[in-house]
Amino acid sequence: MPDESQLLTTTDTSLAVIETIRELDGATPAALAASLDLSESAVYKHLFTLTKHGYVVSSGDEYQLGARFYHLGMYVRNRSKVYELAGQYVIELADRSNEESDFGIEENGRIVTLFDSVGSSANPSSRLNNYEYMHTTAIGKSILARLPASRIDRIVDRWGLPQITEQSITSRGELDDELARVRERGYAVNDQESIHGKRVAGCLAEDPSGTVIGGFTVSGPAYRIEDTDLHQEFPDILHRVVPEFEAALESQGLV
C-alpha cells in the first residue's frame, strides 16, 4: 500500500484542480475555490502554474484543460505496440459485428478506453467519460472476474460502487453474483449500466502467460440490440476475434 506520508499536498491539490475543471467542464477561480474548499488566492496559484506549463488555458475568467493533455493521452495510447495492434482488432470487431467496438485497459482500479470504432478506422476514444468504474463496464467486469477477492476489496474500498444509471450494480453481493456469471459464461455484459440506451458485451485479452492486457467489447443501441445479440452473437464474435489478437501478439513477438 502507498505510504500516505509521502504525499505532496501541493501536487495533490493541483491534481484536484485539474479534476474539478474537468468535472465542471470549465470553471472560474471562485467556482474552483468553492468546490475544493480553498481560498481563491490559493486556487489562482495552482492555475497560474498549470497555465504556464500548458495544462490549463483561460478564456476570460473561466479556465479549461489545455490541449497538452491530448498530447500526453496520445503518447500513452501509442507507447505500446500491443495497444497499436489492439486498435487493428477493434476495427475487425466492428467490421464483423456491424456495431461499435472498444478496447480498454485497467489502471488504478478504473477502466480507460483507448480505442473505439464504428467503421473502418480505430480512433482515440472521443467520449467525455472514458475513465469508468469497473463494476459498470463489460471490460471491467471481465477483469474483476479474474482478480483475487482481496484485490476486488481494495478496488471497491477505493472507488465504491456508485450508481451511474438505474441498471448499475450498487452492492458487493450483487457484484459477486455478477462476477460468478462472468466466470461461468466467459464474457461480461454492460446492459445500460454505464450509459443509458447502450448494451455491451465484452471479454478480456491476455498474453501467453495469462497476464491480462485489457479487454474488447462489441456494443449497440438498446432499441436495436436484442438479448440474442447481447448473449450469443456478440460473445461469439468476441470469442473468435480476441484469440486472433492474442495469437498475433505472440507471432509478432510483442509479448
Side-chain angles (χ1 to χ4, degrees):
M1 294 292 289
D3 182 355
E4 290 293 324
S5 68
Q6 302 300 310
L7 184 72
L8 290 175
T9 304
T10 302
T11 304
D12 192 55
T13 302
S14 288
L15 292 172
V17 169
I18 289 167
E19 285 294 330
T20 305
I21 291 173
R22 183 191 63 81
E23 291 167 4
L24 298 178
D25 193 23
T28 63
L32 289 167
S35 294
L36 297 169
D37 194 24
L38 296 169
S39 68
E40 284 192 50
S41 61
V43 166
Y44 183 76
K45 290 177 182 178
H46 290 277
L47 291 171
F48 179 83
T49 304
L50 291 167
T51 301
K52 177 182 177 181
H53 292 283
Y55 292 105
V56 165
V57 295
S58 63
S59 176
D61 291 336
E62 186 174 84
Y63 287 81
Q64 292 278 1
L65 299 186
R68 189 164 186 186
F69 281 107
Y70 180 80
H71 170 74
L72 294 175
M74 289 295 290
Y75 164 76
V76 171
R77 192 195 71 151
N78 295 327
R79 72 186 174 193
S80 169
K81 293 294 184 181
V82 172
Y83 298 160
E84 184 178 331
L85 182 65
Q88 298 175 28
Y89 281 84
V90 166
I91 298 171
E92 182 70 17
L93 285 165
D95 285 345
R96 293 200 195 184
S97 65
N98 291 315
E99 298 290 351
E100 182 178 350
S101 176
D102 296 343
F103 172 76
I105 61 172
E106 180 265 327
E107 280 193 349
N108 299 315
R110 298 286 286 270
I111 296 300
V112 183
T113 303
L114 298 184
F115 292 98
D116 61 53
S117 177
V118 291
S120 60
S121 64
N123 302 302
S125 179
S126 58
R127 300 187 196 128
L128 290 177
N129 182 17
N130 68 347
Y131 187 61
E132 298 180 277
Y133 295 101
M134 295 185 75
H135 72 288
T136 66
T137 68
I139 293 173
K141 291 179 190 178
S142 294
I143 295 174
L144 284 170
R146 285 284 299 274
L147 298 178
S150 59
R151 177 78 195 286
I152 299 172
D153 287 340
R154 290 196 297 272
I155 291 171
V156 173
D157 288 346
R158 179 174 183 182
W159 299 110
L161 297 170
Q163 184 172 14
I164 307 304
T165 74
E166 293 180 356
Q167 307 303 320
S168 301
I169 290 170
T170 57
S171 76
R172 182 60 188 270
E174 288 180 290
L175 179 61
D176 288 341
D177 290 344
E178 179 73 354
L179 297 183
R181 286 189 287 270
V182 173
R183 296 183 191 105
E184 180 180 356
R185 294 168 174 164
Y187 68 91
V189 298
N190 162 10
D191 197 356
Q192 305 188 69
E193 296 165 60
S194 62
I195 300 175
H196 180 71
K198 188 173 185 179
R199 307 187 83 187
V200 188
C203 68
L204 57 77
E206 58 189 14
D207 67 18
S209 71
T211 299
V212 173
I213 295 167
F216 292 89
T217 67
V218 176
S219 62
Y223 70 83
R224 190 175 67 239
I225 302 306
E226 305 289 342
D227 284 350
T228 53
D229 298 313
L230 188 65
H231 290 285
Q232 293 180 27
E233 182 179 348
F234 288 179
D236 285 348
I237 293 170
L238 287 161
H239 288 154
R240 290 196 299 271
V241 174
V242 174
E244 295 174 8
F245 164 73
E246 293 171 337
L249 287 174
E250 187 169 16
S251 68
Q252 296 182 27
L254 298 179
V255 291

